[in-house]
Amino acid sequence: MGKSATVLGREIGKTGREMNALLHRYGYLTGEPGAYSLTDKGKKYGTQEDHDRGNVRSLHYYRQWTTTTWSDETLAALLNDMANAPTSPEPAEAFPDDDVTVAEAESVGATDQGAPGNTGTRVDLRMVAIAAALLVGAKAAQIAAPHARRWWSETAVPATSRVLKRLKRQDPSDNDAET
């Protein structure tokens, strides 16, 4: 025991993320990235161990995580499953991949074929990203508005009026008229 998904993946030219996706696809893992757990099949080859560090009374300084380690036989079993599968199982990539940019993800006007018998819905990921950014911006403005109003009335307006009064007292055109 003792190999991580990253170490297993290096042996066949895959990253840790790709290896976890393969282990998920062939039934060794269940869940989603960051929250995988072992299936009954996975428990034959791997173990999971919970870790924690920090002060229990402080959420900011208390961390918990789980590590999964795989036996040396795991890679052979996975490769055997991959070779003996009549057809490749459905990809386990039903969850979003956080490394894909909008431009890489899908071209404009791509068709979503999610449900069987679905005729397809036009999806423009750039428009979805713009809409999400607008919603986040609107919520931020809504949260900031009371603070901005208070700053304006208590700080900006009095400071501006003080500066204007000083400038009126030191107006150079008044000095030119006196001479």
Side-chain angles (χ1 to χ4, degrees), residues 2-67:
K3 291 185 178 182
S4 67
T6 303
V7 173
L8 286 176
R10 282 186 195 139
E11 295 179 20
I12 60 171
K14 303 265 185 212
T15 65
R17 182 174 292 194
E18 292 169 334
M19 195 66 194
N20 278 330
L22 283 173
L23 290 164
H24 184 269
R25 187 177 301 157
Y26 286 93
Y28 294 84
L29 292 173
T30 186
E32 58 185 49
Y36 283 124
S37 59
L38 294 171
T39 62
D40 290 335
K41 182 178 181 180
K43 288 179 183 177
K44 294 178 189 174
Y45 299 101
T47 59
Q48 287 189 317
E49 185 177 350
D50 294 325
H51 304 276
D52 60 86
R53 178 178 301 171
N55 183 353
V56 177
R57 294 184 188 117
S58 172
L59 293 177
H60 184 70
Y61 294 106
Y62 184 67
R63 301 285 184 244
Q64 293 179 311
W65 68 96
T66 302
T67 58

Coordinates of all heavy atoms in Angstrom, one line a residue, residues 2-67:
G2 N 0.3 2.3 -0.6 CA 1.1 3.5 -0.4 C 1.2 4.4 -1.7 O 2.0 5.3 -1.6
K3 N 0.6 4.1 -2.8 CA 0.7 4.9 -4.0 C -0.5 5.8 -4.1 O -1.7 5.4 -4.0 CB 0.8 4.0 -5.2 CG 2.1 3.3 -5.3 CD 2.2 2.6 -6.6 CE 3.5 1.8 -6.7 NZ 3.7 1.2 -8.0
S4 N -0.3 7.1 -4.4 CA -1.4 8.0 -4.7 C -1.8 7.8 -6.1 O -1.2 7.2 -6.9 CB -0.9 9.4 -4.4 OG 0.1 9.8 -5.4
A5 N -2.9 8.5 -6.5 CA -3.4 8.5 -7.9 C -2.3 9.1 -8.8 O -2.2 8.7 -9.9 CB -4.7 9.2 -8.0
T6 N -1.7 10.1 -8.3 CA -0.6 10.8 -9.1 C 0.5 9.9 -9.4 O 1.0 9.8 -10.6 CB -0.1 12.0 -8.4 OG1 -1.2 12.9 -8.1 CG2 0.9 12.8 -9.2
V7 N 1.0 9.1 -8.4 CA 2.1 8.1 -8.6 C 1.6 7.0 -9.6 O 2.4 6.6 -10.5 CB 2.5 7.6 -7.3 CG1 3.6 6.5 -7.5 CG2 3.1 8.7 -6.4
L8 N 0.4 6.5 -9.4 CA -0.1 5.5 -10.3 C -0.2 6.1 -11.8 O 0.1 5.4 -12.7 CB -1.5 5.0 -9.9 CG -1.6 4.1 -8.7 CD1 -3.1 3.8 -8.4 CD2 -0.9 2.8 -8.9
G9 N -0.7 7.3 -11.9 CA -0.8 7.9 -13.2 C 0.5 8.1 -13.9 O 0.6 7.9 -15.1
R10 N 1.5 8.4 -13.2 CA 2.9 8.6 -13.8 C 3.3 7.4 -14.5 O 4.0 7.4 -15.5 CB 3.9 9.0 -12.8 CG 3.8 10.5 -12.4 CD 4.9 10.8 -11.4 NE 4.6 12.1 -10.8 CZ 4.9 12.4 -9.5 NH1 5.4 11.5 -8.8 NH2 4.5 13.6 -9.1
E11 N 3.0 6.2 -14.0 CA 3.4 5.0 -14.6 C 2.8 4.7 -15.9 O 3.4 4.0 -16.7 CB 3.1 3.8 -13.6 CG 3.9 3.9 -12.3 CD 3.5 2.7 -11.4 OE1 3.0 1.7 -11.8 OE2 3.8 2.9 -10.1
I12 N 1.7 5.3 -16.2 CA 1.0 5.2 -17.5 C 0.9 6.5 -18.3 O 0.2 6.6 -19.3 CB -0.3 4.4 -17.4 CG1 -1.3 5.2 -16.6 CG2 -0.1 3.0 -16.9 CD1 -2.7 4.7 -16.6
G13 N 1.6 7.5 -17.8 CA 1.6 8.8 -18.5 C 0.3 9.6 -18.3 O -0.1 10.4 -19.2
K14 N -0.3 9.5 -17.1 CA -1.5 10.3 -16.8 C -1.2 11.2 -15.6 O -0.4 10.9 -14.8 CB -2.7 9.4 -16.5 CG -3.0 8.4 -17.6 CD -4.1 8.9 -18.4 CE -4.5 7.9 -19.4 NZ -5.0 8.5 -20.7
T15 N -2.0 12.2 -15.5 CA -1.9 13.1 -14.3 C -2.8 12.4 -13.2 O -3.5 11.5 -13.4 CB -2.5 14.5 -14.6 OG1 -3.9 14.4 -14.9 CG2 -1.7 15.2 -15.7
G16 N -2.7 13.0 -12.0 CA -3.5 12.5 -10.8 C -4.9 12.7 -11.1 O -5.8 11.8 -10.8
R17 N -5.3 13.8 -11.7 CA -6.7 14.1 -12.0 C -7.3 13.1 -13.0 O -8.4 12.6 -12.9 CB -6.8 15.5 -12.5 CG -8.3 15.9 -12.8 CD -8.4 17.3 -13.2 NE -8.0 18.1 -12.0 CZ -8.3 19.4 -11.9 NH1 -8.8 20.0 -12.8 NH2 -8.0 20.0 -10.8
E18 N -6.5 12.8 -14.1 CA -6.9 11.9 -15.1 C -7.0 10.5 -14.5 O -7.9 9.7 -14.8 CB -5.9 11.9 -16.3 CG -5.9 13.1 -17.1 CD -4.8 13.2 -18.0 OE1 -3.7 12.6 -17.8 OE2 -4.9 14.0 -19.0
M19 N -6.1 10.1 -13.6 CA -6.1 8.8 -13.0 C -7.3 8.7 -12.1 O -8.0 7.6 -12.1 CB -4.8 8.6 -12.2 CG -4.6 7.2 -11.8 SD -4.3 6.2 -13.3 CE -4.4 4.6 -12.6
N20 N -7.7 9.7 -11.3 CA -8.9 9.6 -10.5 C -10.1 9.5 -11.4 O -11.1 8.8 -11.0 CB -9.0 10.9 -9.6 CG -8.2 10.8 -8.4 OD1 -7.9 9.7 -7.9 ND2 -7.7 11.9 -7.9
A21 N -10.1 10.2 -12.6 CA -11.3 10.1 -13.5 C -11.4 8.6 -14.0 O -12.5 8.1 -14.1 CB -11.1 11.0 -14.6
L22 N -10.3 8.0 -14.3 CA -10.3 6.6 -14.7 C -10.8 5.7 -13.6 O -11.6 4.8 -13.9 CB -8.9 6.1 -15.2 CG -8.5 6.6 -16.6 CD1 -7.0 6.2 -16.9 CD2 -9.4 6.0 -17.7
L23 N -10.2 5.9 -12.4 CA -10.7 5.1 -11.3 C -12.2 5.2 -11.0 O -12.9 4.3 -10.7 CB -9.8 5.4 -10.0 CG -8.4 5.0 -10.1 CD1 -7.6 5.7 -9.0 CD2 -8.2 3.5 -10.0
H24 N -12.7 6.4 -11.2 CA -14.1 6.7 -11.0 C -14.9 6.0 -12.2 O -15.9 5.4 -11.9 CB -14.3 8.2 -11.1 CG -15.7 8.6 -10.8 ND1 -16.6 8.8 -11.8 CD2 -16.4 8.9 -9.6 CE1 -17.8 9.1 -11.3 NE2 -17.7 9.2 -10.0
R25 N -14.4 6.1 -13.4 CA -15.1 5.6 -14.5 C -15.2 4.1 -14.5 O -16.2 3.5 -14.8 CB -14.3 6.0 -15.8 CG -15.1 5.6 -17.1 CD -14.3 6.1 -18.3 NE -14.1 7.5 -18.2 CZ -13.2 8.2 -18.9 NH1 -12.3 7.5 -19.6 NH2 -13.1 9.5 -18.8
Y26 N -14.2 3.4 -13.9 CA -14.2 1.9 -13.9 C -14.6 1.4 -12.5 O -14.5 0.2 -12.3 CB -12.8 1.4 -14.3 CG -12.6 1.5 -15.8 CD1 -12.0 2.6 -16.3 CD2 -13.1 0.6 -16.7 CE1 -11.9 2.8 -17.7 CE2 -13.0 0.7 -18.0 CZ -12.4 1.8 -18.6 OH -12.2 1.9 -19.9
G27 N -15.2 2.2 -11.7 CA -15.9 1.8 -10.5 C -15.1 1.6 -9.2 O -15.5 0.9 -8.3
Y28 N -13.9 2.2 -9.2 CA -13.1 2.1 -8.0 C -13.4 3.2 -7.0 O -13.2 3.1 -5.8 CB -11.6 2.1 -8.3 CG -11.1 0.9 -9.1 CD1 -11.3 0.9 -10.5 CD2 -10.5 -0.1 -8.5 CE1 -10.8 -0.2 -11.2 CE2 -10.1 -1.2 -9.2 CZ -10.3 -1.3 -10.6 OH -9.8 -2.4 -11.3
L29 N -13.8 4.4 -7.6 CA -14.2 5.5 -6.8 C -15.6 6.0 -7.0 O -16.1 5.8 -8.1 CB -13.2 6.7 -7.1 CG -11.8 6.6 -6.7 CD1 -11.0 7.8 -7.3 CD2 -11.6 6.6 -5.2
T30 N -16.2 6.7 -6.1 CA -17.5 7.3 -6.3 C -17.4 8.7 -5.7 O -16.5 9.0 -4.9 CB -18.6 6.5 -5.6 OG1 -19.9 7.1 -5.9 CG2 -18.4 6.5 -4.1
G31 N -18.3 9.6 -6.2 CA -18.2 10.9 -5.7 C -17.8 11.9 -6.8 O -18.0 11.6 -8.0
E32 N -17.2 13.0 -6.4 CA -16.7 14.0 -7.4 C -15.3 14.4 -6.9 O -14.9 14.2 -5.8 CB -17.7 15.1 -7.5 CG -17.9 15.8 -6.2 CD -19.0 16.9 -6.4 OE1 -20.1 16.6 -6.9 OE2 -18.8 18.0 -5.9
P33 N -14.6 15.2 -7.8 CA -13.3 15.6 -7.4 C -13.3 16.4 -6.1 O -14.1 17.2 -5.9 CB -12.9 16.5 -8.6 CG -13.6 16.0 -9.7 CD -14.9 15.5 -9.2
G34 N -12.3 16.0 -5.2 CA -12.3 16.7 -3.9 C -13.1 16.0 -2.9 O -13.0 16.2 -1.7
A35 N -14.0 15.1 -3.3 CA -14.9 14.4 -2.4 C -15.1 12.9 -2.8 O -16.2 12.4 -2.8 CB -16.2 15.1 -2.2
Y36 N -14.0 12.3 -3.2 CA -14.1 10.9 -3.7 C -14.2 10.0 -2.4 O -13.6 10.2 -1.4 CB -12.9 10.4 -4.5 CG -12.9 10.9 -5.9 CD1 -11.8 11.7 -6.4 CD2 -13.9 10.6 -6.8 CE1 -11.8 12.1 -7.7 CE2 -13.9 11.1 -8.1 CZ -12.8 11.8 -8.5 OH -12.8 12.2 -9.8
S37 N -14.9 8.8 -2.6 CA -14.8 7.8 -1.6 C -14.7 6.5 -2.3 O -15.0 6.4 -3.5 CB -16.1 7.8 -0.7 OG -17.2 7.6 -1.5
L38 N -14.2 5.5 -1.6 CA -14.0 4.2 -2.3 C -15.3 3.4 -2.4 O -16.1 3.4 -1.5 CB -13.0 3.3 -1.4 CG -11.6 3.9 -1.3 CD1 -10.8 3.1 -0.3 CD2 -10.9 3.8 -2.7
T39 N -15.4 2.7 -3.5 CA -16.5 1.8 -3.7 C -16.1 0.4 -3.1 O -14.9 0.3 -2.6 CB -16.8 1.6 -5.2 OG1 -15.7 1.0 -5.8 CG2 -17.2 2.9 -5.8
D40 N -17.0 -0.6 -3.1 CA -16.6 -1.9 -2.6 C -15.5 -2.5 -3.4 O -14.5 -3.1 -2.9 CB -17.8 -2.8 -2.7 CG -18.9 -2.5 -1.7 OD1 -18.5 -1.9 -0.6 OD2 -20.0 -2.8 -1.9
K41 N -15.5 -2.2 -4.7 CA -14.4 -2.7 -5.6 C -13.1 -1.9 -5.3 O -12.0 -2.5 -5.2 CB -14.8 -2.4 -7.1 CG -13.8 -2.9 -8.1 CD -14.4 -2.6 -9.5 CE -13.4 -3.0 -10.6 NZ -14.0 -2.7 -11.9
G42 N -13.2 -0.7 -5.0 CA -12.0 0.1 -4.6 C -11.4 -0.2 -3.3 O -10.2 -0.1 -3.1
K43 N -12.3 -0.7 -2.4 CA -11.8 -1.1 -1.0 C -10.8 -2.3 -1.1 O -10.0 -2.5 -0.2 CB -12.9 -1.3 -0.1 CG -13.6 -0.1 0.3 CD -14.8 -0.3 1.2 CE -15.6 1.0 1.5 NZ -16.8 0.7 2.3
K44 N -10.9 -3.1 -2.2 CA -10.0 -4.2 -2.3 C -8.6 -3.7 -2.6 O -7.6 -4.4 -2.3 CB -10.5 -5.1 -3.5 CG -11.8 -5.8 -3.3 CD -12.2 -6.6 -4.5 CE -13.6 -7.1 -4.4 NZ -14.0 -7.8 -5.6
Y45 N -8.5 -2.6 -3.2 CA -7.2 -2.1 -3.7 C -6.7 -0.8 -3.0 O -5.5 -0.5 -3.0 CB -7.2 -1.8 -5.2 CG -7.5 -3.0 -6.0 CD1 -8.8 -3.2 -6.5 CD2 -6.6 -4.0 -6.3 CE1 -9.1 -4.3 -7.2 CE2 -6.9 -5.1 -7.0 CZ -8.2 -5.3 -7.5 OH -8.5 -6.4 -8.3
G46 N -7.5 -0.1 -2.3 CA -7.1 1.1 -1.7 C -7.6 1.3 -0.3 O -8.5 0.6 0.2
T47 N -7.1 2.3 0.4 CA -7.5 2.7 1.7 C -7.6 4.2 1.8 O -6.9 4.9 1.0 CB -6.6 2.2 2.8 OG1 -5.3 2.8 2.6 CG2 -6.4 0.8 2.9
Q48 N -8.5 4.7 2.6 CA -8.6 6.1 2.8 C -8.3 6.5 4.3 O -8.7 5.7 5.2 CB -10.0 6.6 2.4 CG -10.2 6.7 1.0 CD -11.5 7.4 0.6 OE1 -12.5 7.2 1.2 NE2 -11.4 8.2 -0.5
E49 N -7.6 7.6 4.5 CA -7.2 8.0 5.8 C -7.6 9.4 6.0 O -7.3 10.3 5.1 CB -5.7 7.7 6.0 CG -5.3 8.0 7.4 CD -3.8 7.7 7.6 OE1 -3.2 7.1 6.7 OE2 -3.2 8.1 8.6
D50 N -8.2 9.8 7.1 CA -8.6 11.1 7.4 C -7.5 11.8 8.2 O -6.9 11.2 9.1 CB -9.9 11.2 8.3 CG -11.1 10.7 7.5 OD1 -11.1 11.0 6.2 OD2 -12.0 10.1 8.1
H51 N -7.2 13.1 7.9 CA -6.2 13.8 8.6 C -6.8 15.1 9.1 O -7.7 15.6 8.5 CB -5.0 14.2 7.6 CG -4.4 13.0 7.0 ND1 -3.5 12.2 7.6 CD2 -4.6 12.4 5.8 CE1 -3.1 11.2 6.8 NE2 -3.8 11.3 5.7
D52 N -6.2 15.7 10.1 CA -6.6 17.0 10.5 C -5.4 17.7 11.1 O -4.4 17.1 11.6 CB -7.7 17.0 11.5 CG -7.4 16.2 12.8 OD1 -6.8 16.8 13.7 OD2 -7.7 15.0 12.8
R53 N -5.4 19.1 11.1 CA -4.3 19.8 11.7 C -4.9 21.2 12.1 O -5.7 21.7 11.5 CB -3.3 20.1 10.6 CG -2.1 20.9 11.1 CD -1.1 21.1 10.0 NE -0.6 19.8 9.6 CZ 0.2 19.6 8.6 NH1 0.6 20.6 7.8 NH2 0.7 18.4 8.3
G54 N -4.3 21.7 13.2 CA -4.7 23.0 13.7 C -5.5 23.0 15.0 O -5.6 22.0 15.7
N55 N -6.1 24.1 15.3 CA -6.8 24.3 16.5 C -8.3 24.0 16.2 O -8.9 24.6 15.4 CB -6.7 25.8 16.9 CG -7.3 26.1 18.2 OD1 -8.1 25.3 18.8 ND2 -7.1 27.3 18.7
V56 N -8.8 23.1 17.0 CA -10.2 22.7 16.8 C -11.2 23.8 17.0 O -12.2 23.9 16.3 CB -10.6 21.5 17.7 CG1 -12.0 21.1 17.6 CG2 -9.6 20.3 17.5
R57 N -10.8 24.8 17.8 CA -11.8 25.9 18.1 C -11.8 26.9 17.1 O -12.6 27.8 17.1 CB -11.4 26.5 19.5 CG -11.6 25.6 20.6 CD -11.2 26.2 21.9 NE -11.3 25.3 23.0 CZ -10.2 24.9 23.7 NH1 -9.1 25.5 23.5 NH2 -10.3 24.0 24.7
S58 N -10.9 26.9 16.1 CA -10.8 27.9 15.1 C -11.0 27.3 13.7 O -10.2 26.5 13.3 CB -9.4 28.6 15.1 OG -9.3 29.5 14.0
L59 N -12.1 27.7 13.0 CA -12.4 27.1 11.7 C -11.3 27.6 10.7 O -11.0 26.9 9.8 CB -13.7 27.6 11.2 CG -14.9 27.0 12.0 CD1 -16.2 27.6 11.5 CD2 -14.9 25.5 11.9
H60 N -10.7 28.8 10.9 CA -9.7 29.3 10.0 C -8.4 28.5 10.1 O -7.8 28.3 9.0 CB -9.5 30.7 10.3 CG -8.5 31.4 9.3 ND1 -8.9 31.6 8.0 CD2 -7.3 31.8 9.4 CE1 -7.9 32.1 7.4 NE2 -6.9 32.3 8.2
Y61 N -8.1 28.0 11.2 CA -6.8 27.3 11.4 C -7.0 25.8 11.6 O -6.0 25.1 11.9 CB -6.0 27.9 12.6 CG -5.6 29.3 12.3 CD1 -6.2 30.4 13.0 CD2 -4.6 29.6 11.5 CE1 -5.8 31.7 12.7 CE2 -4.2 30.9 11.2 CZ -4.8 31.9 11.8 OH -4.4 33.2 11.6
Y62 N -8.1 25.3 11.4 CA -8.4 23.9 11.5 C -8.7 23.3 10.2 O -9.7 23.7 9.5 CB -9.5 23.6 12.5 CG -9.7 22.1 12.8 CD1 -8.8 21.4 13.5 CD2 -10.9 21.5 12.3 CE1 -9.0 20.1 13.7 CE2 -11.1 20.1 12.6 CZ -10.1 19.4 13.3 OH -10.3 18.1 13.5
R63 N -7.9 22.4 9.7 CA -8.1 21.8 8.4 C -8.3 20.3 8.5 O -7.7 19.6 9.4 CB -6.8 22.0 7.5 CG -6.5 23.5 7.3 CD -7.5 24.1 6.3 NE -7.1 25.4 6.0 CZ -7.8 26.5 6.3 NH1 -9.0 26.3 6.9 NH2 -7.4 27.7 6.0
Q64 N -9.2 19.8 7.7 CA -9.4 18.3 7.6 C -9.3 17.9 6.1 O -9.8 18.6 5.2 CB -10.8 18.0 8.1 CG -11.0 18.2 9.6 CD -12.4 17.9 10.0 OE1 -13.4 18.3 9.3 NE2 -12.6 17.1 11.0
W65 N -8.7 16.7 5.9 CA -8.6 16.2 4.5 C -8.5 14.7 4.6 O -8.2 14.1 5.6 CB -7.5 16.9 3.7 CG -6.1 16.5 4.2 CD1 -5.3 15.5 3.7 CD2 -5.4 17.1 5.3 NE1 -4.1 15.5 4.4 CE2 -4.2 16.5 5.4 CE3 -5.7 18.2 6.2 CZ2 -3.2 16.8 6.3 CZ3 -4.7 18.5 7.1 CH2 -3.5 17.8 7.2
T66 N -8.8 14.1 3.4 CA -8.7 12.6 3.3 C -7.8 12.3 2.2 O -7.8 12.9 1.2 CB -10.1 12.1 3.0 OG1 -11.0 12.5 4.0 CG2 -10.1 10.5 2.9
T67 N -6.9 11.3 2.5 CA -6.0 10.8 1.5 C -6.4 9.4 1.1 O -6.8 8.6 2.0 CB -4.5 10.9 1.9 OG1 -4.4 10.1 3.1 CG2 -4.1 12.3 2.2

